[in-house]
């Protein structure tokens, strides 16, 4: 690897994962599909608006998939796509680093 120049792909990945709440959302979704309220229970300090905004962003980037089930009432679930699941090693590495140093 060349560490003397910034790679635009690395920069884009760091920007995505560095946004407040994004890493936590991805970590929560690693446990499987979740409804909005389930994610809020696991990340209670995040506002509804922030969760909505982050979910839309992650969906537009192909990291999260939104599924709507036409039940009464309508059920909406979010889950990681293959692209999102590929972040598992990254998230686990951050957890390992945090366990060691934080």
């Amino acid at each position: 690897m060349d560490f003397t120049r910034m790679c635009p792909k690395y920069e884009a990945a760091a920007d995505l994962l560095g946004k407040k709440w994004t890493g936590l959302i991805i970590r929560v979704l690693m446990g499987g599909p979740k409804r909005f309220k389930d994610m809020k229970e696991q990340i209670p300090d995040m506002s509804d608006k922030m969760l909505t905004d982050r979910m839309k962003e992650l969906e537009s980037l192909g990291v999260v998939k939104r599924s709507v089930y036409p039940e009464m009432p309508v059920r909406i679930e979010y889950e990681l796509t293959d692209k999102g699941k590929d972040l598992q090693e990254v998230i686990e590495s951050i957890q390992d680093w945090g366990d060691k140093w934080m």
Side-chain angles (χ1 to χ4, degrees):
M1 282 192 163
D2 177 11
F3 293 108
T4 60
R5 293 180 303 143
M6 186 55 61
C7 171
K9 290 180 182 179
Y10 175 86
E11 189 175 357
D15 284 347
L16 170 66
L17 292 175
K19 284 189 176 174
K20 188 167 176 73
W21 308 113
T22 300
L24 297 176
I25 292 168
I26 292 169
R27 190 172 190 278
V28 164
L29 289 175
M30 286 185 172
K34 298 279 187 294
R35 296 173 78 169
F36 191 92
K37 68 180 184 70
D38 299 327
M39 288 187 285
K40 281 290 296 171
E41 284 175 13
Q42 287 189 263
I43 315 172
D45 293 337
M46 182 175 34
S47 71
D48 288 0
K49 180 180 179 348
M50 183 58 67
L51 179 55
T52 299
D53 291 348
R54 287 290 183 265
M55 295 310 295
K56 285 179 182 176
E57 179 182 19
L58 291 169
E59 187 179 6
S60 73
L61 293 169
V63 173
V64 169
K65 177 180 134 185
R66 179 178 184 263
S67 299
V68 179
Y69 299 93
E71 302 168 351
M72 282 308 234
V74 172
R75 179 170 51 104
I76 299 172
E77 286 186 345
Y78 299 90
E79 65 183 307
L80 294 174
T81 61
D82 288 340
K83 183 178 181 179
K85 289 175 185 171
D86 267 357
L87 289 167
Q88 182 162 346
E89 285 184 40
V90 175
I91 299 297
E92 288 173 354
S93 292
I94 294 170
Q95 179 69 57
D96 291 344
W97 185 88
D99 289 343
K100 182 175 180 179
W101 296 103
M102 300 308 281

